[in-house]
Amino acid sequence: MTKPARDAAQKPADHYLDDIQAAGALPFILVHLACLGAIWTGVYWQDVALAVGLYGLRMFGITGGYHRYFSHRAYKTSRWFQFILAFIAQTSAQRGILWWAAKHRHHHRYSDTPADVHSPAQRGFWYAHMGWIFTARHDTTDLAAVPDLAKFPELRFLDRFHYLPAFILAVAVWFAAGWSGLVVGFFWSTVATYHGTFCINSLAHVYGRRRYLTGDDSRNNWWFALLTMGEGWHNNHHAYQSAACQGFRWWEIDTTYYILKALSWVGITWDLHRPPAAVVRGEQRLGKAIIEKAASQLVATFHVEQIAARLQATLADTPSLADVKAELQHKLENARAQAEAMLASLHMPELHMPSLPDLHMPTMPTLPTRDELKDRAAAMFVRTPSMDDIVDRARQLLIEAVCARLAVAAA
Ligand SMILES: [Zn+2]
Ligand SMILES: [Zn+2]
């Protein structure tokens, strides 16, 4: 599978790394340093068992709470259990419920585009993993993104005092299990939960397989799914975000979903949303936004400048195209839209004539035919019933881009 070339020069020229606030990262660093306390407290099997239990509890709070319930409303529950979920999620010390959900909804809206909150493809692995959390620009919560959550005063309270649940848990662990329990049971599992969660933003957009065309870099990764209680089926999730399950096939282990299902048997959760069978089989036609993204990715693999330069040279040097050139220049002067329509109907068969002048280009770029575009799309993307739509849109975008260059040259 060919990944579209991402030229560093195409990346936004903002100074996002300058935005990282050292003071904001301090509590995070201290939690990591606290883990070293085990040198003095010792490590006992009871503390390790406590750490594993607290990791499982809090990872469920994140996947079943922060993510599937609060960010995606993938199932329903009562108001009291909603509060319990938010409290458990916030014992992970990953900031408030409103902040988390707002940032996550933003991620899905702009996945792997320059506007994405945390995209490894845009700003590097470590920024996506944890750097973004400490930036001033991501410090605030866009309440307009979470009106369905912000209407609950108890959730606003938790969000305001976002470290309170983690502090209460730490104190309770200290009372119950002493210093070694606090260091190993609480701090070790807090750090493990941090990086398990952060991997969803970083690793799950880099390593693994893509089953569905989602217009972003989300991947399915089985071992990561085991570690994160189902979140490793991230490509599935990006393909159908409102599902309570992220493992779409029976063999895709999704512990969070099993817990949610068990809770539904005793009436605590209900209306667990499942993906339609056509989505699971990859037979659902894609939405306009994904088609647009995929078409743009396909176009990005062509050298528009070189195609335009070659086209321009061909029109100038080939006598048989003199009429075409005159007409094209006339149309370029009058209207870019008309020129686009004309180029679209030309199909430029003359560009493949052996008598064309050698432009000393490493590749001999020409306006690709529809079949050429289709072949490249098939190599780049996983199977989708919308492949023809992507190819047609890509051809349209490519022609527009070439016309824009020609118009500039003709001016
Ligand atoms: Zn994602
Ligand atoms: Zn999500």
PDB file of all heavy atoms in Angstrom, residues 328-344:
ATOM      1  N   LEU A 328      -7.287  27.278 -25.872  1.00  0.00           N
ATOM      2  CA  LEU A 328      -7.083  27.179 -24.430  1.00  0.00           C
ATOM      3  C   LEU A 328      -6.693  28.531 -23.844  1.00  0.00           C
ATOM      4  O   LEU A 328      -7.233  28.960 -22.827  1.00  0.00           O
ATOM      5  CB  LEU A 328      -5.996  26.145 -24.132  1.00  0.00           C
ATOM      6  CG  LEU A 328      -5.665  25.930 -22.658  1.00  0.00           C
ATOM      7  CD1 LEU A 328      -6.891  25.435 -21.900  1.00  0.00           C
ATOM      8  CD2 LEU A 328      -4.516  24.963 -22.492  1.00  0.00           C
ATOM      9  N   GLN A 329      -5.784  29.217 -24.517  1.00  0.00           N
ATOM     10  CA  GLN A 329      -5.347  30.512 -23.994  1.00  0.00           C
ATOM     11  C   GLN A 329      -6.505  31.504 -23.989  1.00  0.00           C
ATOM     12  O   GLN A 329      -6.669  32.276 -23.054  1.00  0.00           O
ATOM     13  CB  GLN A 329      -4.199  31.051 -24.844  1.00  0.00           C
ATOM     14  CG  GLN A 329      -2.879  30.372 -24.472  1.00  0.00           C
ATOM     15  CD  GLN A 329      -1.686  30.976 -25.152  1.00  0.00           C
ATOM     16  OE1 GLN A 329      -1.845  31.598 -26.203  1.00  0.00           O
ATOM     17  NE2 GLN A 329      -0.516  30.781 -24.592  1.00  0.00           N
ATOM     18  N   HIS A 330      -7.324  31.423 -25.025  1.00  0.00           N
ATOM     19  CA  HIS A 330      -8.486  32.304 -25.089  1.00  0.00           C
ATOM     20  C   HIS A 330      -9.412  32.040 -23.908  1.00  0.00           C
ATOM     21  O   HIS A 330      -9.868  32.954 -23.227  1.00  0.00           O
ATOM     22  CB  HIS A 330      -9.215  32.064 -26.422  1.00  0.00           C
ATOM     23  CG  HIS A 330     -10.515  32.808 -26.522  1.00  0.00           C
ATOM     24  ND1 HIS A 330     -10.570  34.184 -26.659  1.00  0.00           N
ATOM     25  CD2 HIS A 330     -11.800  32.375 -26.476  1.00  0.00           C
ATOM     26  CE1 HIS A 330     -11.842  34.566 -26.706  1.00  0.00           C
ATOM     27  NE2 HIS A 330     -12.605  33.485 -26.595  1.00  0.00           N
ATOM     28  N   LYS A 331      -9.613  30.737 -23.669  1.00  0.00           N
ATOM     29  CA  LYS A 331     -10.508  30.386 -22.566  1.00  0.00           C
ATOM     30  C   LYS A 331      -9.896  30.725 -21.206  1.00  0.00           C
ATOM     31  O   LYS A 331     -10.591  31.128 -20.291  1.00  0.00           O
ATOM     32  CB  LYS A 331     -10.862  28.894 -22.631  1.00  0.00           C
ATOM     33  CG  LYS A 331     -11.851  28.585 -23.757  1.00  0.00           C
ATOM     34  CD  LYS A 331     -12.282  27.140 -23.742  1.00  0.00           C
ATOM     35  CE  LYS A 331     -13.222  26.825 -24.895  1.00  0.00           C
ATOM     36  NZ  LYS A 331     -14.573  27.309 -24.681  1.00  0.00           N
ATOM     37  N   LEU A 332      -8.578  30.540 -21.098  1.00  0.00           N
ATOM     38  CA  LEU A 332      -7.929  30.878 -19.835  1.00  0.00           C
ATOM     39  C   LEU A 332      -8.086  32.352 -19.524  1.00  0.00           C
ATOM     40  O   LEU A 332      -8.250  32.746 -18.375  1.00  0.00           O
ATOM     41  CB  LEU A 332      -6.436  30.519 -19.889  1.00  0.00           C
ATOM     42  CG  LEU A 332      -6.089  29.049 -19.683  1.00  0.00           C
ATOM     43  CD1 LEU A 332      -4.605  28.840 -19.950  1.00  0.00           C
ATOM     44  CD2 LEU A 332      -6.440  28.591 -18.287  1.00  0.00           C
ATOM     45  N   GLU A 333      -8.025  33.146 -20.575  1.00  0.00           N
ATOM     46  CA  GLU A 333      -8.175  34.589 -20.383  1.00  0.00           C
ATOM     47  C   GLU A 333      -9.592  34.917 -19.961  1.00  0.00           C
ATOM     48  O   GLU A 333      -9.834  35.856 -19.218  1.00  0.00           O
ATOM     49  CB  GLU A 333      -7.834  35.334 -21.680  1.00  0.00           C
ATOM     50  CG  GLU A 333      -6.332  35.400 -21.935  1.00  0.00           C
ATOM     51  CD  GLU A 333      -6.017  35.680 -23.396  1.00  0.00           C
ATOM     52  OE1 GLU A 333      -6.926  36.081 -24.134  1.00  0.00           O
ATOM     53  OE2 GLU A 333      -4.852  35.462 -23.781  1.00  0.00           O
ATOM     54  N   ASN A 334     -10.535  34.178 -20.468  1.00  0.00           N
ATOM     55  CA  ASN A 334     -11.931  34.509 -20.187  1.00  0.00           C
ATOM     56  C   ASN A 334     -12.430  33.944 -18.864  1.00  0.00           C
ATOM     57  O   ASN A 334     -12.981  34.659 -18.048  1.00  0.00           O
ATOM     58  CB  ASN A 334     -12.833  34.005 -21.321  1.00  0.00           C
ATOM     59  CG  ASN A 334     -12.636  34.827 -22.568  1.00  0.00           C
ATOM     60  OD1 ASN A 334     -12.574  36.049 -22.499  1.00  0.00           O
ATOM     61  ND2 ASN A 334     -12.488  34.176 -23.697  1.00  0.00           N
ATOM     62  N   ALA A 335     -12.231  32.679 -18.695  1.00  0.00           N
ATOM     63  CA  ALA A 335     -12.776  32.088 -17.466  1.00  0.00           C
ATOM     64  C   ALA A 335     -12.061  30.797 -17.120  1.00  0.00           C
ATOM     65  O   ALA A 335     -11.915  29.917 -17.961  1.00  0.00           O
ATOM     66  CB  ALA A 335     -14.276  31.815 -17.639  1.00  0.00           C
ATOM     67  N   ARG A 336     -11.604  30.701 -15.858  1.00  0.00           N
ATOM     68  CA  ARG A 336     -10.906  29.499 -15.440  1.00  0.00           C
ATOM     69  C   ARG A 336     -11.841  28.294 -15.465  1.00  0.00           C
ATOM     70  O   ARG A 336     -11.474  27.190 -15.847  1.00  0.00           O
ATOM     71  CB  ARG A 336     -10.363  29.697 -14.022  1.00  0.00           C
ATOM     72  CG  ARG A 336      -9.253  28.747 -13.704  1.00  0.00           C
ATOM     73  CD  ARG A 336      -8.801  28.952 -12.295  1.00  0.00           C
ATOM     74  NE  ARG A 336      -9.292  27.838 -11.482  1.00  0.00           N
ATOM     75  CZ  ARG A 336      -9.176  27.775 -10.183  1.00  0.00           C
ATOM     76  NH1 ARG A 336      -8.660  28.754  -9.519  1.00  0.00           N
ATOM     77  NH2 ARG A 336      -9.614  26.740  -9.507  1.00  0.00           N
ATOM     78  N   ALA A 337     -13.093  28.535 -15.108  1.00  0.00           N
ATOM     79  CA  ALA A 337     -14.048  27.429 -15.067  1.00  0.00           C
ATOM     80  C   ALA A 337     -14.240  26.819 -16.445  1.00  0.00           C
ATOM     81  O   ALA A 337     -14.330  25.589 -16.586  1.00  0.00           O
ATOM     82  CB  ALA A 337     -15.381  27.932 -14.522  1.00  0.00           C
ATOM     83  N   GLN A 338     -14.285  27.698 -17.468  1.00  0.00           N
ATOM     84  CA  GLN A 338     -14.462  27.188 -18.828  1.00  0.00           C
ATOM     85  C   GLN A 338     -13.248  26.351 -19.235  1.00  0.00           C
ATOM     86  O   GLN A 338     -13.380  25.315 -19.877  1.00  0.00           O
ATOM     87  CB  GLN A 338     -14.614  28.350 -19.814  1.00  0.00           C
ATOM     88  CG  GLN A 338     -16.009  28.967 -19.811  1.00  0.00           C
ATOM     89  CD  GLN A 338     -16.081  30.114 -20.800  1.00  0.00           C
ATOM     90  OE1 GLN A 338     -15.302  31.057 -20.720  1.00  0.00           O
ATOM     91  NE2 GLN A 338     -17.006  30.019 -21.726  1.00  0.00           N
ATOM     92  N   ALA A 339     -12.068  26.819 -18.856  1.00  0.00           N
ATOM     93  CA  ALA A 339     -10.840  26.102 -19.195  1.00  0.00           C
ATOM     94  C   ALA A 339     -10.818  24.734 -18.530  1.00  0.00           C
ATOM     95  O   ALA A 339     -10.384  23.748 -19.127  1.00  0.00           O
ATOM     96  CB  ALA A 339      -9.626  26.901 -18.760  1.00  0.00           C
ATOM     97  N   GLU A 340     -11.297  24.698 -17.291  1.00  0.00           N
ATOM     98  CA  GLU A 340     -11.350  23.417 -16.589  1.00  0.00           C
ATOM     99  C   GLU A 340     -12.229  22.435 -17.328  1.00  0.00           C
ATOM    100  O   GLU A 340     -11.875  21.266 -17.533  1.00  0.00           O
ATOM    101  CB  GLU A 340     -11.892  23.623 -15.167  1.00  0.00           C
ATOM    102  CG  GLU A 340     -10.887  24.280 -14.251  1.00  0.00           C
ATOM    103  CD  GLU A 340     -11.549  24.803 -12.989  1.00  0.00           C
ATOM    104  OE1 GLU A 340     -12.746  24.539 -12.785  1.00  0.00           O
ATOM    105  OE2 GLU A 340     -10.854  25.498 -12.226  1.00  0.00           O
ATOM    106  N   ALA A 341     -13.397  22.901 -17.767  1.00  0.00           N
ATOM    107  CA  ALA A 341     -14.318  22.028 -18.493  1.00  0.00           C
ATOM    108  C   ALA A 341     -13.682  21.550 -19.796  1.00  0.00           C
ATOM    109  O   ALA A 341     -13.812  20.391 -20.184  1.00  0.00           O
ATOM    110  CB  ALA A 341     -15.621  22.776 -18.778  1.00  0.00           C
ATOM    111  N   MET A 342     -12.969  22.463 -20.454  1.00  0.00           N
ATOM    112  CA  MET A 342     -12.352  22.108 -21.725  1.00  0.00           C
ATOM    113  C   MET A 342     -11.250  21.052 -21.524  1.00  0.00           C
ATOM    114  O   MET A 342     -11.190  20.045 -22.222  1.00  0.00           O
ATOM    115  CB  MET A 342     -11.758  23.364 -22.357  1.00  0.00           C
ATOM    116  CG  MET A 342     -11.121  23.101 -23.706  1.00  0.00           C
ATOM    117  SD  MET A 342     -10.091  24.475 -24.148  1.00  0.00           S
ATOM    118  CE  MET A 342      -9.201  23.728 -25.488  1.00  0.00           C
ATOM    119  N   LEU A 343     -10.403  21.297 -20.535  1.00  0.00           N
ATOM    120  CA  LEU A 343      -9.326  20.336 -20.267  1.00  0.00           C
ATOM    121  C   LEU A 343      -9.888  18.974 -19.880  1.00  0.00           C
ATOM    122  O   LEU A 343      -9.369  17.933 -20.275  1.00  0.00           O
ATOM    123  CB  LEU A 343      -8.431  20.853 -19.138  1.00  0.00           C
ATOM    124  CG  LEU A 343      -7.260  21.719 -19.567  1.00  0.00           C
ATOM    125  CD1 LEU A 343      -6.544  22.238 -18.336  1.00  0.00           C
ATOM    126  CD2 LEU A 343      -6.290  20.931 -20.438  1.00  0.00           C
ATOM    127  N   ALA A 344     -10.996  19.022 -19.146  1.00  0.00           N
ATOM    128  CA  ALA A 344     -11.599  17.764 -18.709  1.00  0.00           C
ATOM    129  C   ALA A 344     -12.078  16.959 -19.904  1.00  0.00           C
ATOM    130  O   ALA A 344     -12.010  15.730 -19.908  1.00  0.00           O
ATOM    131  CB  ALA A 344     -12.760  18.054 -17.759  1.00  0.00           C
TER     132      ALA A 344
END
